[in-house]
Amino acid sequence: MTKFIRCIEGHVYDTDKHEACPECGAIPGVEESGRIPISPVEEREPKSNFKDTAHALLSKSAAKDSAKVSLFALPKAWLAGGGALLLLVVAAVYGLTQEDTPETLARSEIVGSEPTKDDAPDEDVAKDPAKKGEEEADGTTSSESDNAQSQETDDDPRIDETEPAADAEQARADADESVDEAERDDAKAEEEKKLADLRQRVTEHVKKKDYDSAIADLTEIIRHEAATWDDVGSRAWMYYTKRDFDLALADFDRALKSEDHSGLIHYGRALILRQRGDIDGALVELNAVIDDHGSQDPFHYIERADVYALRAKYDEAIADNDTAVELVSNVKSATPWSKAQVYFHRGINRLKQVKADPENLKDNKPCKDPTSDTARENADCRAEVSLFIPLLDFEAAVAIYPEYAQAHAEIASIAFQLGNSQRAVDASTKAIKIDPTNSAAYTNRCMAYNSLKQYDLAMADCNDAIRHTPASARAWTLRGYVYATRGGRNNRNKAISDLRHALEITPGYADALTVLELLGEKP
C-alpha cells in the first residue's frame, strides 16, 4: 500500500520510497524551526489494524487543530516513544490514587514539557565527560550508583532511622508527661483530703472549746500552699477567743492581704482595736464591714452603734441599733438570745443619750402615768418620760429571753430612778438568781433596800458587789453612801474611807465626789 505524507515544508512524498522529503530533506516526526509536524494524509481507507487506526485518529485530530502534537507520527517514532508514553499513562493513573504532593505532580507532567531539575544532566558529568566515561567503563551509571549507595545506607545498622526514632522519643515523652500529670493529680487529691480532714478536726475542737488543739491543726493547714485566707482568719479568731490579741491581729492582718477576704476580718480587727482604745481605728474597720462588704449581720451594726456611742454620736448609734432590730426581725433562724440582744443594746444607747443631757434627770415631781400625752407635755415628767423609752427596750429583751440577767438589772436601775424601789428589788433579785456574780444587780438592790430603810440587807448586797467586782468604783461609792445614811461617827468614817477608795480606782468619779461634798469632806 502506497503511503504519502506531507513534510514540515508542505511537500507530499511516498514514504515507501523515501525516508526523508526528497525536496527539503525533512525527516517525518522531527520538529524543526519551532514548527509542528503535520499528521499523515491517507490516500485511501486503511485496513483495520492498531497502527493504522492510530494514524487515522491523529489525522482527524490534526485536521481540527494543526497546533496539537502528533503522538503517533510514524510506527518507528511510536516504537521509539511508546515506552515513555506507557510510563506516562501509568504514572498519571497512579497519580490519581495519590495525594497531590509536589512529587506526584512531577510524575504526572506530560511528555514534551520543560525538563525538571531531576532530568537535568549531572553537573559533575557535564563538567568532566571523562567521569561519565569511567562510569560507563565500570558498567555502572550514576543512577545505579546512587541506588546502590541508597541501598547500602538502608542496610547499614549504624545509620539511625531518625523519623521513627523521633516518633518513639516523642511517644516516650508523652507517656512520661501523662504519668507525671497523673502523679500530680493523685498528690493534689491526697493534699485536699488531708486538708479536709484537718478542717473537720478543727470544727470538732471548737465544739469542745479545745482552742489550743484547733490552733495546732490550723497551723498545720496554713503550712500548706493550699491554705486560704479563711484558714488564717479562723486561727485569728481562735487567738482572739484566747485573748491573745497580738497573735490574733497579726493573723487578721495576714488574711487582709487576700483580695477575696470577707468582712469578718475587718470585724475582728475592729474588736481588737476597740479593746485597745483605738476607737477611730475600730470605726474605720466597721465602716469597711458594713459599707464596703455590705454586711447584713445585725451584730456588726450593734458594734458600730456602740463605737458611735463612745464618741457621743448617739443619733448615729441609735440609727444603727434600729437597723439591727429590723435585720434580726427578718431572720427566721435568729435565736431568742440574738433577738433580745439587739433590743438590749438599743436600750443602753438610749439610756446613755438620756444621761448625756443633765436636764433629763433633774429631781422633778414624779409622773403617775409617763405614757400619757398630758404627762409628756408636763415639764415635771421629763425624767420619767426620758427613761421610759430605754425601759421599753429592756422589757422587750426580757420578754423575748427571760434569762437575760443584765436586762433585768437595767430594769431595776431605771425603776429605782423612777422611784419604784420595790420593783427595783424584784428585778434585781431575778438578775441575781440568773447570774449570782452580777455585780450591777447587787448594787441596784443595795440602793433599793437602802431607800426602803432595810440597811442590813442593803449593806449585805453592797458587800457582795465589792466581793464580785473589787475594782468597781460604783460599788465602793454606794457602800459609802449606805454608811453615810445610817449615821454615827463610825459609819461616817467608813463612808469617807469607801468614797476615797472609789476615787483611787477611778479618779474624778462624779458620784463619789458628790457624796463627799454632802459630808463636807474634801477628796
Side-chain angles (χ1 to χ4, degrees):
M1 181 181 66
T2 302
K3 301 175 82 173
F4 294 88
I5 191 170
R6 189 186 302 275
C7 74
I8 60 176
E9 296 295 335
H11 307 120
V12 178
Y13 63 95
D14 185 353
T15 59
D16 292 338
K17 296 179 179 182
H18 304 282
E19 292 182 358
C21 178
E23 296 186 29
C24 63
I27 298 174
V30 178
E31 179 177 353
E32 293 183 1
S33 304
R35 288 177 288 180
I36 307 298
I38 307 301
S39 299
V41 179
E42 295 184 354
E43 182 179 18
R44 54 190 173 85
E45 188 72 16
K47 293 182 181 179
S48 178
N49 59 61
F50 179 80
K51 291 191 292 183
D52 294 340
T53 302
H55 284 292
L57 291 173
L58 292 175
S59 297
K60 293 180 182 180
S61 174
K64 293 182 180 180
D65 187 358
S66 61
K68 293 185 178 180
V69 179
S70 174
L71 297 177
F72 300 99
L74 286 173
K76 292 180 180 179
W78 183 86
L79 291 174
L85 178 61
L86 182 60
L87 291 174
L88 174 65
V89 173
V90 172
V93 173
Y94 178 77
L96 294 176
T97 65
Q98 305 298 316
E99 295 181 358
D100 291 335
T101 63
E103 181 183 358
T104 304
L105 294 175
R107 288 200 303 266
S108 64
E109 293 288 342
I110 63 171
V111 175
S113 62
E114 289 294 326
T116 64
K117 182 178 181 180
D118 294 335
D119 295 332
D122 191 295
E123 291 184 1
D124 295 336
V125 175
K127 292 179 181 178
D128 189 2
K131 185 175 181 180
K132 182 177 180 180
E134 292 175 2
E135 293 176 353
E136 291 175 352
D138 293 338
T140 305
T141 65
S142 60
S143 62
E144 292 173 345
S145 177
D146 292 341
N147 291 336
Q149 183 178 359
S150 175
Q151 181 65 34
E152 182 181 354
T153 302
D154 293 341
D155 295 338
D156 191 345
R158 295 172 298 172
I159 305 300
D160 293 335
E161 296 182 357
T162 56
E163 290 186 2
D167 292 342
E169 184 65 27
Q170 183 62 41
R172 285 194 295 271
D174 292 342
D176 292 342
E177 184 176 355
S178 298
V179 172
D180 292 341
E181 185 176 356
E183 291 177 350
R184 288 194 297 270
D185 291 342
D186 291 342
K188 183 178 180 181
E190 184 178 354
E191 177 86 354
E192 290 177 350
K193 184 179 184 303
K194 182 178 180 180
L195 291 177
D197 291 342
L198 284 171
R199 291 184 178 115
Q200 181 60 37
R201 279 172 49 178
V202 169
T203 302
E204 297 301 324
H205 291 322
V206 172
K207 288 180 180 179
K208 298 176 182 177
K209 296 184 179 182
D210 184 1
Y211 302 122
D212 289 331
S213 297
I215 289 173
D217 282 345
L218 286 167
T219 301
E220 179 65 22
I221 293 172
I222 292 170
R223 290 196 183 104
H224 293 73
E225 294 182 357
T228 66
W229 67 265
D230 195 23
D231 298 320
V232 180
S234 295
R235 189 173 70 174
W237 281 109
M238 293 298 99
Y239 283 132
Y240 179 84
T241 303
K242 289 174 58 62
R243 302 186 69 80
D244 292 335
F245 296 134
D246 289 337
L247 294 176
L249 192 60
D251 272 352
F252 281 134
D253 290 343
R254 182 178 175 183
L256 201 63
K257 295 178 181 179
S258 176
E259 294 182 357
D260 59 347
H261 67 270
S262 77
L264 288 174
I265 304 303
H266 292 284
Y267 183 62
R269 284 174 51 83
L271 295 178
I272 295 174
L273 293 175
R274 179 187 173 187
Q275 181 77 18
R276 293 181 169 181
D278 186 359
I279 305 304
D280 292 336
L283 186 58
V284 169
E285 297 296 335
L286 290 167
N287 287 338
V289 176
I290 295 172
D291 299 333
D292 297 343
H293 289 268
S295 173
Q296 295 295 299
D297 190 324
F299 290 94
H300 295 166
Y301 284 89
I302 288 174
E303 184 64 24
R304 190 169 72 171
D306 291 347
V307 171
Y308 275 136
L310 291 173
R311 283 285 178 259
K313 296 182 177 181
Y314 299 112
D315 290 337
E316 291 88 340
I318 294 172
D320 273 355
N321 286 131
D322 291 341
T323 301
V325 170
E326 181 180 357
L327 288 173
V328 80
S329 65
N330 295 327
V331 179
K332 295 181 179 179
S333 60
T335 63
W337 167 244
S338 298
K339 294 179 180 179
Q341 283 189 83
V342 297
Y343 285 101
F344 175 83
H345 281 272
R346 186 170 68 178
I348 289 293
N349 286 329
R350 282 176 167 173
L351 186 59
K352 289 179 179 179
Q353 186 178 38
V354 170
K355 292 180 178 180
D357 185 359
E359 294 294 326
N360 289 333
L361 300 178
K362 283 186 176 180
D363 290 331
N364 297 318
K365 183 180 178 181
C367 297
K368 294 181 179 180
D369 186 2
T371 63
S372 68
D373 294 337
T374 303
R376 291 176 183 175
E377 294 176 356
N378 187 342
D380 292 341
C381 296
R382 184 171 181 176
E384 287 78 0
V385 172
S386 299
L387 292 172
F388 185 72
I389 296 174
L391 179 61
L392 291 176
D393 281 332
F394 296 132
E395 289 177 340
V398 297
I400 296 171
Y401 190 76
E403 300 301 304
Y404 205 149
Q406 191 61 30
H408 285 294
E410 293 298 335
I411 291 173
S413 177
I414 292 178
F416 177 77
Q417 293 179 69
L418 293 175
N420 193 340
S421 298
Q422 188 56 54
R423 186 181 182 189
V425 169
D426 294 340
S428 297
T429 301
K430 290 180 181 178
I432 292 170
K433 286 182 178 179
I434 297 169
D435 181 10
T437 65
N438 193 310
S439 179
Y442 285 111
T443 55
N444 289 335
R445 193 168 69 174
C446 170
M447 292 298 293
Y449 278 137
N450 191 66
S451 69
L452 294 173
K453 298 181 181 181
Q454 298 181 23
Y455 302 119
D456 292 339
L457 293 176
M459 186 61 67
D461 279 343
C462 281
N463 288 336
D464 284 338
I466 291 173
R467 180 166 55 86
H468 290 298
T469 315
S472 172
R474 182 170 184 262
W476 286 94
T477 299
L478 292 180
R479 193 175 74 168
Y481 179 77
V482 172
Y483 277 128
T485 58
R486 294 182 70 172
R489 180 176 296 274
N490 189 35
N491 288 333
R492 174 186 173 85
N493 290 335
K494 290 181 180 179
I496 294 173
S497 177
D498 282 351
L499 294 168
R500 285 176 176 170
H501 186 72
L503 290 173
E504 289 177 2
I505 296 172
T506 307
Y509 188 62
D511 290 345
L513 291 173
T514 300
V515 178
L516 280 174
E517 185 179 353
L518 292 174
L519 293 174
E521 294 292 328
K522 293 181 180 180

